Amino acid sequence: ALLGVCLAVLIAARARSALLALTAAALVAALRRGRFRQLALAGAGALVLAAAATGAMMAWRGVSAAHLLKLDKLSSFKRPQLWAAAARVAADDPLLGEGPGNFEQGFRRHNFPSGRGISNYQFATSHAHSEPLQAAAETGLIGLLFLMGALLWSWRAAWTRAAASLESECALAAGIAMSVFLLVDNMLHVPGLALLYFSALVVATPEKPTASKHGYAWALAAGLMLTVAGPIPGWVAGRSAETAVRIFPADAAARENLARELVARGRFDEAIVHLKRSVELEPTNALRLALWAELLRAKADWNGVFLLSGRAIALEPNFVHARLLRAEALARAKRVADARIELSELFRRREEMRAHGFGVEGQEGLFFGYDRQIGAVDEARAAMVEGLVRGRSKGL
């Protein structure tokens, strides 16, 4: 009965990975103890109870099967895309990887349209939602082999011993369930869950391992040193934008910050160099393309503005400021008819976004960061460009 209730809760939570993990654990437990008949009876009973509870919930709340399988949510398809992106990050440096803690940096080079909000590329993550892929992306093949070797050595020790206490057998089954879950989520990056996982390993292998004369003091000391030293580069980088770029040369955001500081000092050419590198490091970020276009606008390089704003629009069709830049570049190049079309598209998309709540009072919480910048428009600039297009400005 308890198993049936738990299954119903997992189904209601749409925890597909958890159901897969628990199925694996049940099979392992049955295999080790030779109780397939009992497992089949308990499983059948639990499934009947879970199906009854799920059917009642679907009838009471009007929940569909597509909802339970997350087929009604675009985000349900993000995980396979995220795994594919993580594999591409790992392929960039297959031996050593991106570096511990740098998954997000690599992911930004291989981002994909999220299908949420008003923008395409607002999604960012520091986790691959798969521990093996996370290890491969951050520490390369070497790190992945160390991780998998350590886990397989531990599970082999637990599996090859004879069935002992109920506690150790339960720990083994729980550990198997969590190991399956590690394939599809970042369980080890949540300290409490990592502690639970390694505790299961300990209980599943109760025999005391042979220790060296000094035990594992060296490992503890190394872990302590890494813990203390880990934040130091970040603290040093916080001193200035130049220092941040020297320490983290492949960090696109650090490059952008330095470019903005250089713009404030009037060093436009140097700022463009760092912006160009920032775009190379994160090619799907349309905001940096627009910033680069703004610098070219200040230099009256209207062809450059036209090309960069076009690249930004190709990434983010709703990027109204990029459309504004493009409309101005067309107007300055005497292509008034094309500029008028671009401006009309800008206003059409702005009204369309308003219909979905963007810029509407009381619905600001639906849009964050990147989305807000994609949908924001400078009304004064828009009026100026509209004047250009209609021939009311002396600049034309």
Side-chain angles (χ1 to χ4, degrees), residues 46-69:
L47 284 174
V48 169
L49 287 172
T54 303
M57 178 182 65
M58 293 172 68
W60 175 45
R61 301 292 299 273
V63 177
S64 66
H67 174 79
L68 292 176
L69 294 173

Side-chain angles (χ1 to χ4, degrees), residues 5-27:
V5 171
C6 291
L7 284 174
V9 170
L10 289 176
I11 293 170
R14 303 189 290 178
R16 298 166 300 178
S17 301
L19 289 167
L20 175 65
L22 292 178
T23 300
L27 291 173

Side-chain angles (χ1 to χ4, degrees), residues 71-153:
L71 298 180
D72 61 334
K73 288 183 63 178
L74 284 173
S75 60
S76 65
F77 298 100
K78 292 298 171 289
R79 200 155 292 189
Q81 292 169 285
L82 181 52
W83 294 334
R88 289 193 290 270
V89 174
D92 287 344
D93 190 345
L95 190 62
L96 296 176
E98 200 72 21
N102 288 343
F103 178 80
E104 184 172 1
Q105 186 171 285
F107 173 77
R108 289 183 181 278
R109 293 195 305 273
H110 301 287
N111 203 345
F112 53 84
S114 65
R116 294 183 293 180
I118 61 173
S119 60
N120 288 327
Y121 294 98
Q122 51 101 325
F123 179 63
T125 178
S126 58
H127 301 305
H129 288 273
S130 169
E131 290 294 350
L133 283 173
Q134 183 94 17
E138 291 192 346
T139 59
L141 181 62
I142 294 176
L144 178 61
L145 288 176
F146 271 112
L147 173 65
M148 299 307 296
L151 292 179
L152 289 174
W153 180 85

Side-chain angles (χ1 to χ4, degrees), residues 258-302:
L258 178 56
R260 290 183 180 277
E261 285 196 12
L262 291 170
V263 168
R265 299 176 200 168
R267 295 158 61 180
F268 282 20
D269 290 337
E270 293 178 61
I272 288 175
V273 170
H274 287 287
L275 266 180
K276 183 178 180 180
R277 179 59 180 148
S278 179
V279 169
E280 291 171 353
L281 292 168
E282 189 176 356
T284 58
N285 190 311
L287 300 178
R288 296 194 182 112
L289 288 167
L291 179 57
W292 186 356
E294 284 286 355
L295 297 184
L296 296 185
R297 177 181 182 271
K299 301 172 70 172
D301 181 356
W302 298 112

